[in-house]
């Protein structure tokens, strides 16, 4: 038995070592850096400041604005992607001509790298040569993501929805295909209409899948970067400077390693809290069903 | 017969190598110097600019063929180039053997001791080509020296950001008459910002009237480091605000601390910059330095300030440029007193941009990298390099017949560079220029987006620059 245990640990060791090296060590290092005022270009070097960087976060209006923008982005994207994904997944349970083709085309964005998606939408939205502003101008609508902050913001939301709704559809389709048939048959016998079936049978049964998908999408949208970086770089002004963009600029451009480490840790903490809340919700809903 | 065939083969081989390495004055020296490093792989990184592309596509393959040293040369976006270079320099990983050292970042690299001193290399005849001739470099090389005169990087590109205009439009009699009727003076290259504004307004209105896509102004106004650079390098100096508005002795920017960043003149210039965007194409707030050149090349703009490293393709590449033979270049307009300041060496009218190749302190193949850097800077290749990428770093290049021929095609740019280059200047000695740029970008882009007024933006910016300087120990 002892020999077998040693064998198991021996097999696990490389993975555990890798996880420790690339997962735990960087977090410890960030934790260490967060206690210092440290800019690469500083003449005074690293200065120990304790928890001052965390205190600074609370009064940093730029950070708070980017956090607010980031959370608004999360709420809007998830708030649209999930219902839309659920609707499309339900429609795909029906039989219609061209369903296979539709499903293939719909999933294409998932196969593309976010940076490619960003580049593609930059061309589509280009105020000078982009087809979208061109046709909207013909309809009397001026669409310019370089000028109008609202349009820039909603364009990033739109791109995220376009990119990630297919993922939501796929997870919901997988969930729908695994649902038991008996409740549906019973509902039909009882004379329930399509809406009632959807509202009182499909949605409750699909709740764990919905919440898990929401869980994944919240984490993803909170750390959105590539598409927004390509499309607007956080502009115009600070209209799309989401917290992920703000953090990257602070690290790579300002080289504020101490403060940005504290910010990273805070964002990690925030993500963990959000996920913990959702996990609790998922667990309680699973217990209820 | 056999002997004859043998002689013929040898003659052909000699002729062949002469053709392949037509621009190598001393191939035997290169082969001998590179002998100990044959098979070594050197890695480098640079920004994806015309000069870097010329080095990757032309210089590197020829160097590999002649010396047997393999060159892995990565050209990438400006942001990515810095991210990768700085991470390598900072961690001392030794990934790169040569890196792009832009003129404005050299002070930061020197302050951190991140670069190899090249002066001992230059003095070593075993690895420095006899014709290298440091004295032949233009004064631009001085930006890459420390206080003791040691050289830390060898320039491969140097160019101006200056005024460019559509000669064909400016010389069109109908347009000239319409302009004179409207403004009461002749349409000509502007020497003041008021004239520039009139011309911008005129061409934008002219485009609208004629139903053509033509605008009178161009800018790199995207929320991107480029917007900050445009103000600091081109607009403010020509309005009389030098050194990013920072007092270099006190290292402070606000007026109350001896700087000029929130002075009335600086605010006036930023207000002008924001107002002028109405005369640029609709997408101007999405443009970086790449798009400004591309839009000018598409024939949509009558005038503007752009990085003239793009002149090579603008004036010659028919597949990309619609303005071949229609380009004029000139000095930028200036505010009263600025030209006198520049001539007296007290100020400058615009940006003398460029970069060099340096060797990171952590490189493991310094000698091989040094050979490649020299290869790119060798005298005999410079005219062709200038043709490919519109850059000149050696004085002798100006005298080459090819450059004189190109000068005419490029609206007299090389003459302008040679005769008036001294009126322009590189970035000031600000080792912390990268974090500074982020602050400038933040407030200037807020003003461009209308989130705050230009006046408010500069008051806040000056305050934050002073705070940053203090935090960094200046």
């Amino acid at each position: 038995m002892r020999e077998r245990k040693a064998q198991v640990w021996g097999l696990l060791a490389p993975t555990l070592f890798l996880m420790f090296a690339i997962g735990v060590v960087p977090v410890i290092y960030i934790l260490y850096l967060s206690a210092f005022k440290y800019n690469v270009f500083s003449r005074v070097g690293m200065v120990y400041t304790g928890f001052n960087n965390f205190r600074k976060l609370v009064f940093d209006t730029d950070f708070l604005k980017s956090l607010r923008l980031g959370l608004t982005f999360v709420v809007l994207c998830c708030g649209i992607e999930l219902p839309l994904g659920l609707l499309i997944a339900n429609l795909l349970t029906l039989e219609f001509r061209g369903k296979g083709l539709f499903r293939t085309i719909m999933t294409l964005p998932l196969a593309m790298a976010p940076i490619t998606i960003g580049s593609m939408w930059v061309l589509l939205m280009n105020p000078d040569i982009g087809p979208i502003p061109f046709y909207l101008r013909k309809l009397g609508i001026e669409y310019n993501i370089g000028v109008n902050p609202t349009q820039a913001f909603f364009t990033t939301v739109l791109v995220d929805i376009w990119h990630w709704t297919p993922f939501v559809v796929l997870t919901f389709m997988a969930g729908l295909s695994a649902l038991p048939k008996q409740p549906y048959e019973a509902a039909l016998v009882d004379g329930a209409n399509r809406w009632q079936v959807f509202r009182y049978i499909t949605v409750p049964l699909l709740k764990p899948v919905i919440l898990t998908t929401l869980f994944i999408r919240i984490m993803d949208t909170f750390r959105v970067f590539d598409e927004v970086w390509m499309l607007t770089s956080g502009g115009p002004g600070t209209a799309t400077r989401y917290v992920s963009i703000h953090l990257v600029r602070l690290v790579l451009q300002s080289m504020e390693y101490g403060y940005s480490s504290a910010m990273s840790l805070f964002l990690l903490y925030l993500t963990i809290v959000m996920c913990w809340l959702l996990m609790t919700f998922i667990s309680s809903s699973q217990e209820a069903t | 017969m056999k002997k004859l065939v043998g002689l013929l083969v040898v003659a052909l081989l000699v002729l062949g190598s002469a053709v392949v390495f037509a621009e190598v004055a001393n191939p035997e020296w290169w082969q001998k110097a590179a002998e100990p490093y044959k098979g070594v792989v050197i890695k480098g990184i640079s920004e994806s600019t015309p000069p870097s592309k010329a080095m990757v596509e032309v210089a590197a393959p020829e160097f590999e063929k002649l010396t047997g040293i393999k060159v892995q040369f990565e050209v990438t976006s400006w942001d990515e180039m810095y991210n990768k270079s700085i991470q390598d320099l900072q961690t001392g990983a030794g990934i790169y053997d040569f890196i792009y050292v832009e003129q404005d970042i050299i002070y930061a690299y020197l302050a951190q001791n991140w670069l190899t001193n090249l002066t001992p290399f230059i003095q070593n005849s075993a690895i420095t080509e006899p014709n290298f001739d440091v004295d032949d470099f233009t004064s631009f090389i001085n930006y890459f020296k420390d206080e003791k005169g040691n050289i830390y990087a060898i320039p491969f590109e140097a160019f101006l950001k200056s005024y460019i205009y559509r000669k064909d439009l400016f010389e069109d009699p109908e347009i000239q008459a319409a302009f004179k009727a409207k403004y009461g003076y002749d349409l000509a290259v502007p020497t003041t910002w008021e004239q520039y504004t009139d011309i911008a307004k005129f061409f934008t209105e002219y485009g609208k009237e004629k139903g053509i896509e033509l605008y009178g102004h161009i800018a790199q106004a995207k929320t991107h480091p480029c917007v900050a650079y445009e103000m600091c390098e081109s607009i403010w100096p020509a309005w009389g605000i030098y050194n990013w508005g920072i007092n270099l002795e006190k290292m402070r920017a606000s007026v109350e601390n001896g700087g000029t960043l929130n002075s009335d003149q600086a605010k006036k210039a930023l207000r002008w910059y924001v107002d002028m965007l109405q005369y640029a194409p609709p997408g101007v707030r999405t443009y970086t330095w790449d798009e400004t050149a591309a839009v000018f090349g598409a024939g949509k703009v009558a005038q503007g300030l752009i990085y003239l490293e793009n002149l090579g393709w603008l004036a010659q590449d028919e597949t990309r440029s619609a303005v071949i033979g229609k380009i004029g270049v000139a000095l930028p307009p200036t505010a009263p007193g600025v030209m006198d300041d520049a001539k007296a060496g007290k100020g400058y009218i615009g940006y003398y941009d460029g970069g060099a190749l340096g060797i990171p302190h952590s490189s493991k193949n310094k000698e091989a990298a040094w050979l490649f850097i020299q290869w790119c800077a060798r005298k005999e290749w410079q005219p062709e390099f200038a043709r490919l990428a519109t850059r000149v770093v050696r004085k002798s290049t100006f005298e080459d017949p090819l450059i004189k021929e190109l000068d005419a095609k490029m609206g007299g740019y090389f003459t302008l560079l040679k005769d008036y280059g001294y009126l322009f200047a590189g970035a000031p000695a600000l080792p912390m220029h990268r974090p500074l740029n982020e602050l400038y970008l933040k407030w200037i882009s807020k003003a461009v987006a209308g989130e705050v007024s230009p006046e408010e933006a500069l008051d806040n910016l000056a305050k934050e620059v002073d705070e940053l300087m203090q935090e960094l120990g200046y």
Side-chain angles (χ1 to χ4, degrees):
Chain A
M1 187 62 189
R2 186 172 287 178
E3 211 174 88
R4 179 150 173 77
K5 256 189 176 176
Q7 200 182 6
V8 169
W9 280 112
L11 288 168
L12 279 174
T15 313
L16 289 175
F17 173 75
L18 266 180
M19 279 178 65
F20 184 77
I22 61 173
V24 181
V25 173
V27 174
I28 294 170
Y29 185 56
I30 285 173
L31 204 61
Y32 166 75
L33 282 180
S34 69
F36 290 87
K37 182 183 267 190
Y38 175 34
N39 187 303
V40 180
F41 298 112
S42 172
R43 284 212 297 202
V44 288
M46 289 172 78
V47 179
Y48 178 75
T49 55
F51 290 103
N52 196 48
N53 282 329
F54 292 95
R55 190 185 145 273
K56 195 175 160 186
L57 280 175
V58 185
F59 301 102
D60 183 345
T61 49
D62 289 332
F63 167 69
L64 294 175
K65 186 184 175 187
S66 69
L67 185 63
R68 182 176 56 78
L69 274 172
L71 289 171
T72 314
F73 180 79
V74 170
V75 170
L76 270 170
C77 289
C78 295
I80 296 171
E81 282 167 21
L82 267 81
L84 187 64
L86 190 58
L87 180 75
I88 297 172
N90 263 283
L91 287 174
L92 286 172
T93 58
L94 305 174
E95 287 305 320
F96 58 88
R97 233 178 120 184
K99 180 177 154 179
L101 182 70
F102 175 76
R103 205 163 47 188
T104 309
I105 293 171
M106 185 198 70
T107 48
L108 277 180
L110 283 180
M112 293 162 80
I115 199 87
T116 316
I117 301 275
S119 311
M120 198 178 81
W121 278 87
V122 162
L123 289 175
L124 287 170
M125 293 293 183
N126 185 301
D128 295 335
I129 55 164
I132 294 174
F134 176 79
Y135 287 111
L136 286 174
R137 206 170 293 134
K138 283 192 176 291
L139 296 172
I141 302 166
E142 267 307 318
Y143 199 83
N144 191 332
I145 60 168
V147 174
N148 190 316
T150 313
Q151 287 176 356
F153 178 80
F154 281 101
T155 302
T156 61
V157 173
L158 174 75
V159 172
D160 195 82
I161 292 168
W162 181 85
H163 191 187
W164 292 108
T165 302
F167 166 77
V168 177
V169 173
L170 288 184
T171 55
F172 286 168
M173 279 171 69
L176 284 170
S177 64
L179 294 183
K181 289 201 167 52
Q182 295 91 327
Y184 288 92
E185 288 164 358
L188 279 177
V189 171
D190 291 343
N193 61 28
R194 285 187 69 85
W195 168 247
Q196 285 168 325
V197 169
F198 177 74
R199 169 71 184 82
Y200 297 106
I201 297 176
T202 305
V203 172
L205 287 177
L206 211 57
K207 207 169 172 182
V209 180
I210 294 172
L211 290 172
T212 310
T213 312
L214 179 64
F215 179 83
I216 296 167
R217 289 304 303 137
I218 284 178
M219 284 194 291
D220 277 351
T221 45
F222 198 53
R223 62 183 181 205
V224 67
F225 180 76
D226 309 53
E227 296 102 320
V228 181
W229 187 255
M230 286 304 295
L231 259 176
T232 62
S233 299
T238 51
T240 57
R241 191 171 165 128
Y242 304 133
V243 73
S244 48
I245 303 265
H246 184 72
L247 184 58
V248 167
R249 296 209 89 108
L250 204 65
V251 178
L252 297 181
Q253 188 72 11
S254 298
M255 307 260 162
E256 287 278 358
Y257 288 173
Y259 184 47
S260 57
S261 296
M263 198 179 282
S264 301
L265 283 173
F266 175 75
L267 293 176
L268 179 68
Y269 168 76
L270 197 69
T271 312
I272 290 170
V273 168
M274 285 195 297
C275 293
W276 175 78
L277 285 171
L278 261 173
M279 281 294 281
T280 312
F281 196 58
I282 291 169
S283 307
S284 62
S285 70
Q286 273 172 338
E287 276 166 23
T289 52
Chain B
M1 184 63 190
K2 267 186 182 174
K3 209 174 173 183
L4 190 71
V5 172
L7 277 171
L8 205 68
V9 169
V10 171
L12 280 172
L13 280 173
V14 169
L15 194 69
S17 64
V19 170
V20 172
F21 307 116
E23 286 156 348
V24 190
N26 199 355
E28 300 80 23
W29 182 89
W30 287 99
Q31 282 165 333
K32 195 180 163 205
E35 190 59 37
Y37 316 107
K38 213 169 185 173
V40 164
V41 179
I42 53 170
K43 288 184 80 175
I45 187 164
S46 187
E47 186 190 356
S48 178
T49 58
S52 299
K53 285 179 189 162
M55 289 194 293
V56 172
E57 288 162 13
V58 182
E62 288 187 347
F63 179 75
E64 284 182 353
K65 212 180 282 177
L66 185 66
T67 64
I69 297 170
K70 179 114 183 87
V71 183
Q72 285 183 3
F73 199 156
E74 190 181 340
V75 289
T76 183
S77 68
W78 179 86
D79 318 57
E80 198 60 15
M81 178 271 296
Y82 270 128
N83 295 342
K84 288 184 170 180
S85 305
I86 291 177
Q87 275 173 29
D88 184 44
L89 291 165
Q90 200 192 351
T91 57
I95 295 167
Y96 297 112
D97 298 305
F98 61 94
I99 53 166
Y100 178 42
V101 184
E102 203 169 0
Q103 184 277 321
D104 49 14
I105 200 77
I106 181 79
Y107 311 106
Y109 288 3
L110 287 182
Q112 305 287 330
N113 293 318
W114 281 346
L115 294 175
T116 303
N117 181 1
L118 298 180
T119 302
F121 285 66
I122 295 169
Q123 288 160 353
N124 182 350
S125 59
I127 50 169
T128 298
E129 213 238 320
N131 299 323
F132 183 63
D133 192 4
V134 179
D135 297 334
D136 184 43
F137 282 90
T138 61
S139 57
F140 192 67
I141 198 170
N142 294 335
Y143 287 114
F144 302 95
K145 291 178 181 172
D146 66 5
E147 287 160 355
K148 292 176 189 162
N150 291 310
I151 298 172
Y152 283 81
I154 301 296
F156 69 92
E157 61 173 19
F159 52 88
L160 305 176
K161 184 172 180 186
S162 194
Y163 180 78
I164 187 168
Y165 66 103
R166 287 279 301 280
K167 225 174 173 175
D168 58 322
L169 297 176
F170 274 57
E171 288 170 359
D172 185 315
E174 188 198 324
I175 290 176
Q176 284 178 335
F179 184 86
K180 189 159 189 179
K182 204 162 190 175
Y183 294 100
Y185 63 95
D186 288 331
L187 174 63
V189 170
T191 54
T192 67
W193 289 111
E194 289 74 21
Q195 289 169 0
Y196 182 97
T197 308
D198 286 346
I199 296 170
K201 201 175 167 192
F202 171 79
F203 276 110
T204 303
E205 284 169 1
Y206 180 81
K208 268 184 199 163
E209 278 167 24
K210 298 280 175 186
I212 52 172
E213 256 199 295
L214 182 68
Y215 300 88
H217 178 61
I218 188 86
Q220 45 192 54
K222 186 176 178 176
T223 301
H224 181 276
C226 68
V227 72
Y229 284 128
E230 182 150 76
M231 279 309 299
C232 297
E233 295 167 347
S234 304
I235 307 298
W236 273 326
W239 282 75
I241 304 297
Y242 310 121
N243 302 323
W244 295 35
I246 295 171
N247 181 325
L248 296 181
E249 281 168 22
K250 296 181 176 176
M251 282 294 190
R252 293 292 182 271
S254 63
V255 171
E256 49 272 36
N257 287 322
T260 53
L261 188 53
N262 57 339
S263 63
D264 289 343
Q265 185 71 354
K267 287 174 180 173
K268 199 173 155 191
L270 182 58
R271 165 73 63 191
W272 175 87
Y273 182 77
V274 175
D275 288 346
M276 284 299 288
L277 296 176
Q278 63 182 304
Y279 304 122
V284 66
R285 286 176 176 85
T286 63
Y287 294 172
T288 65
W289 31 59
D290 294 326
E291 287 82 4
T292 49
V295 172
F296 188 86
K300 292 181 181 177
V301 181
Q303 60 165 3
L305 299 177
I306 70 165
Y307 289 98
L308 295 180
E309 64 179 332
N310 292 291
L311 258 181
W313 70 265
L314 283 171
Q316 299 176 93
D317 189 346
E318 287 174 3
T319 60
R320 294 170 71 194
S321 175
V323 292
I324 294 172
K326 300 173 182 173
I327 304 170
V329 292
L331 297 178
T334 49
V338 171
M339 195 58 86
D340 293 336
D341 276 359
K343 283 178 181 166
K346 292 177 193 162
Y348 51 98
I349 61 170
Y351 191 41
Y352 203 143
D353 193 11
L357 290 179
I359 302 177
H361 65 107
S362 51
S363 162
K364 295 173 186 82
N365 302 299
K366 290 181 179 170
E367 288 78 12
W370 168 239
L371 286 173
F372 179 67
I373 291 173
Q374 283 179 80
W375 176 260
C376 296
R378 69 191 194 282
K379 262 186 201 174
E380 61 271 25
W381 188 53
Q382 296 309 293
E384 175 61 11
F385 196 1
R387 187 188 69 78
L388 294 168
T390 336
R391 31 61 69 216
V392 174
V393 295
R394 282 183 178 272
K395 289 179 242 173
S396 58
T397 315
F398 287 117
E399 307 309 323
D400 192 273
L402 178 64
I403 296 302
K404 288 182 176 165
E405 187 193 323
L406 283 172
D407 195 37
K409 284 186 190 169
M410 295 184 185
Y413 169 63
F414 288 118
T415 305
L416 184 90
L417 180 64
K418 187 184 164 197
D419 296 345
Y420 297 106
Y422 75 99
L423 297 172
F424 296 75
L430 295 166
M432 73 306 288
H433 117 267
R434 217 167 143 78
L436 273 181
N437 176 274
E438 180 61 17
L439 284 185
Y440 280 70
L441 153 67
K442 183 176 87 178
W443 287 105
I444 293 170
S445 63
K446 277 186 180 189
V448 166
E451 282 181 28
V452 294
S453 70
E455 293 75 17
E456 198 183 340
L458 291 190
D459 283 335
N460 285 314
L461 175 59
K463 186 172 159 271
E464 288 189 13
V465 168
D466 284 358
E467 284 167 3
L468 178 73
M469 290 294 197
Q470 195 168 7
E471 268 183 31
L472 298 180
Y474 288 91

